[in-house]
Amino acid sequence: MSASPLLEARGIAKRYRVGRAVLTAVDGVDLTIGRGEAVAVVGESGSGKSTLARILVGLEAPSQGEVRFDGRIVDPTSRGSRLSLGARVGVVFQDPYGSLNPRLSVARAIEEPLIVHRWGDASARRRRVAELLEAVGLDPDLGARRPRGLSGGQRQRVAIARALALDPELLVLDEPVSALDVSVQAQILNLLADLRRARTLAYLFISHDLAVVRQVAERIAVMYLGRIVEIASADELYGAAAHPYTLALLSSAAEVEGARASRIPLQGDPPSPIERPGGCPFHPRCFRARERCGREDPVVATDGSHRVACWYPGPVEPEEVRRLGPGGRDV
Amino acid sequence: MAGLAEVPVGAAVRSSGGALRTVEWLAAGAFGLIVLLAILGPLLAPYPPEEQRFADGVLLGPGSPGHLLGTDQLARDLLSRLLVGTRVSLGVALAAVVLGLGLGLLIGGIAGMRGGWVDAVLMRAMDALLAFPALVLALVIAAALGPSLRTTVLAISIVMAPGFARLVRSLTLRERARDYVAAARASGASAGRIARVHILPNIWAPLGAQAALAFGHAIPAEAALSFLGLGVQLPDPSWGNMISEGYAYLSLSPWGVVLPSIMIVCTVASISILADGVRRALEV
């Protein structure tokens, strides 16, 4: 075991030119994932979480910053770097209907990374594919089928089997259950939990849903407009969240679960990543925003492993509950 | 002909989905027959296409004794020339489409896979080719390289290449955005492997339909070049140069023009209808 973390991202930024404007999808993200650790990144659509995932697996180059996997720099432009990273990182995408090539049989799709990495001979690969199908809870006879005849949940299991083919150390899961029915979601989440028990496997779990993340993650990063606004262990985040945005997300998640929590409003829609607000990017929607928030970028307050980018962090105060009213203010 | 009148047109238009309509089945049959004639033509021809039989007479009409479709101004059997010409014309069109498709795959594939300035340069070059009227471009190429059968194929294929290249590029870009391509890339697959395993097998269906339509354009293109003397050279018969020769004697006997023209119209109509049907059937 070397001392460096499994994955380390430093100062990652990604900007796209949109006509004359610049879209900032990711704005200075630091993130580390330890060996065997399950980390989740949570945020609304447009928060830059998927772009961050694509950068971390070497599908896109960051505009700034660097990604290191096991100490070595990830370079998307180098085939050698992609090959060596590909052997150790598996990727699962959101849409189970778009992530499998319709022309390849299930077995062939799972075999594909093995072929790319010249893993074993044909019969060894066949055994490996059967093993993988079993590991994700699918009948090995399914291997001969085309994805066309499979359900969304089955397809997502196939995608997970493909990601596991080379026995990776990290699985990057980009919204792996959000396209699935709720009942199927639970099965896939259970499968992901089981897989981790059986091997040393780190997860980077991307989701917009705090309720889903709770079942998987040990550490959670909350992203807003391309930045990580709060990061803490799962227990700490669910018990003592300090960023107003996290508090708002938690209260809406609690509402979905039917708990009678005080509702914390999110005002308006997330701003465009092209016209980012000055100061704290969250201040136009924040129930706690003061004059300073629109002026100055918040400094990151650190309490052990709990980091918050906010001028006025802390749990919801009774005074705030009174001010916001019992049902909160409707947006 | 009575059979044709009975085709329920309304019903054919209403039917949609994965199956071919009645008209399209008829077109498929007609096109199959023409292809069969092209393959078997020289075997079926009663005379060698160059043989002059002045004893039988020149410019005979159809139904003349010994000559089912008559003879031309040099007393050659029109049926024999038409049959051999079918093979030449279809062969030129097929070769031109295959070559044009190959060029399109190469250029459009590279543009779509590489992107960036490579894409920009290649596609601007294709746009420049497209800016010329197709026939003028083909004429210039054929004239520059000297008229021959090979030049005809080359000229038509170069005219077709930009259309194929643009289609290949846009289909490639569509496929490249798929998550399974991202998964393959993340696993370390090479660009060549991604093109071969993940992109090509998913774009051949629309490409095939486009190729069939292009075939329908290649037939009159060959005819036009040959009519102008820059295509298939005499004494090899092709539909185009048959029309060209017969044109001079049009006032004496129309058959030298009418018969190859009928063949061209039937071929283009049947392949076009069939290509549309196949494309629609594949899209569903």
Side-chain angles (χ1 to χ4, degrees), chain A residues 54 59 79 82-83 86 91 93-95 98-104 108 112-113 115-117 162, chain B residues 175 178-191 193-194 197-199 201-202 204-205:
Chain A
R54 292 177 70 87
L59 281 172
R79 169 98 200 284
R82 282 199 290 124
L83 256 180
V91 194
F93 294 99
Q94 172 176 7
D95 176 14
S99 64
L100 297 176
N101 185 339
R103 302 271 159 197
L104 298 184
R108 185 66 184 64
E112 184 64 13
I115 298 174
V116 167
H117 287 264
R162 177 180 61 191
Chain B
E175 288 305 310
R178 306 263 192 221
D179 281 345
Y180 50 80
V181 172
R185 248 162 50 78
S187 80
S190 66
R193 181 169 186 86
I194 288 170
V197 176
H198 297 291
I199 294 182
N202 285 301
W204 72 260

Side-chain angles (χ1 to χ4, degrees), chain A residues 2 14 19 27 30 38 47 61 64-65 87-88 94 118 129 151 155 165 206 213 222 232-233 244 258 262 275 281 329:
Chain A
S2 60
K14 182 72 182 179
D27 186 23
D30 297 325
S47 62
Q64 251 177 317
R88 303 175 69 180
Q94 172 176 7
R118 301 174 200 282
V129 168
S151 70
R155 284 163 183 251
I206 311 278
V213 157
V222 178
S233 71
S262 62
E275 288 166 52
R329 185 170 47 185

